[in-house]
Amino acid sequence: MQISQTLQKRLRSAQNVVALTGAGISAESGVPTFRGENGIWKKMRPEELANFDAFMRNPKLVWEWYEYRRQLIHNVQPNAGHYALVEMERRYASFTLVTQNVDNLHQRAGNKHVVEMHGNIMRNKCMLCERYYTAVLDLNPEKGVPLCECGGYIRPDVVWFGELIPEQSLIDTNESLENCDLMFSIGTSGIVYPAASFPGIGKRNGAYVVEVNIERTILSSEMDEVLLGPSGKILPELLELMS
Ligand code: BV8
Ligand code: ZN
């Protein structure tokens, strides 16, 4: 893989590294991306399913969607791209992994410092008392949304469109971007905000920003360098070049 002299140097000298990931990093594990050709389950756009109104209008469909995704994720493994980021976390003085993904694969691969921008599909919570339920409850279709002991609806602990990003996640992300000297944008189409604004913020703060994707994206023109190819191949090769 050809990379620039600058990247070659930064890989070795960087002190504060940030990696932003999207659904593409999990594609080689067999997890469908949102907007790729194998698209989303039942060919509906995520924006039509991953939102509060859809959930309240048709809780069974939305629960089925999450149940389908949880089952799928349960049966897949992290891939070489995930493990390369675990190794990067080990090698760099400061490494922050900011993920848009809710599939828990970075955590399963072994990254310790993961900023979950959009929550985690393996967690559920009560909408009233905010109590967490890790086990996925049997949804009795007749009864609709499972209920907490307090009577509140239980929902997946993910951030839906139109909902605020968890405050601590935003604080952690902005802190990591303040003095970042090398940033990766990996497997994301750069469509969803505010995550799509992070590479631009990193760049303005002096980071050398590298995109890793199988194709160019809406963010490519903002990047210092675009490495085209599957993240499961490119990230391990970057690790090789670090040593
Ligand atoms: C919010 C959880 C305040 C649920 C998800 C401007 C500012 C602020 C907000 C907005 C704004 N403009 C619009 C908004 C609203 C909205 C938004 O961004 N809409 C988009 C559609 C325009 N944002 C929000 O609502 C956010 N909240 O900002 O609160 C607010 C509120 C209201 C109004 C204003 C402000 C909350 C967004 C969170 C939504 N929840 N997920 C769930 O997953 O069930 S988002 C969902 O999309 C996933 O988390 C996913 O990660 C994310 C982004 O998608 P990608 O990860 O990029 O995946 P995608 O399929 O698109 O692309 C995959 C890429 O991988 C491709 O580029 C492909 O080429 C590449 N690839 C494929 N294979 C590989 C690969 N790359 C490398 N290797 C491979 N092998
Ligand atoms: Zn409750």
Side-chain angles (χ1 to χ4, degrees), residues 9-17 91-94 181-182:
K9 273 200 219 105
R10 287 279 174 124
L11 278 175
R12 293 189 177 139
S13 64
Q15 293 299 310
N16 300 300
V17 179
R91 293 197 202 179
Y92 284 116
S94 154
D181 45 13
L182 176 61

Side-chain angles (χ1 to χ4, degrees), residues 100-148:
Q100 299 173 84
N101 299 341
V102 297
D103 60 25
N104 203 44
L105 288 179
H106 287 304
Q107 295 86 335
R108 280 178 52 195
N111 273 98
K112 299 278 173 288
H113 185 195
V114 181
V115 180
E116 295 177 342
M117 282 297 293
H118 298 156
N120 189 315
I121 201 170
M122 294 313 180
R123 281 192 311 264
N124 298 286
K125 74 176 174 189
C126 170
M127 290 166 61
L128 217 56
C129 70
E130 303 255 311
R131 186 183 140 182
Y132 281 105
Y133 288 80
T134 38
V136 177
L137 297 128
D138 294 335
L139 173 67
N140 174 340
E142 286 65 51
K143 274 199 257 150
V145 189
L147 294 182
C148 167

Side-chain angles (χ1 to χ4, degrees), residues 41-87:
W41 177 57
K42 290 193 176 174
K43 298 279 165 269
M44 291 176 80
R45 289 174 345 110
E47 292 79 0
E48 286 162 19
L49 278 164
N51 75 60
F52 179 78
D53 297 341
F55 177 70
M56 296 314 279
R57 224 185 5 259
N58 191 340
K60 186 170 170 297
L61 175 69
V62 176
W63 263 92
E64 265 185 353
W65 186 49
Y66 282 94
E67 188 50 22
Y68 158 73
R69 289 170 64 194
R70 274 191 268 255
Q71 292 307 332
L72 188 147
I73 288 162
H74 184 73
N75 298 317
V76 303
Q77 300 302 325
N79 64 61
H82 294 104
Y83 288 115
L85 296 184
V86 177
E87 183 53 26

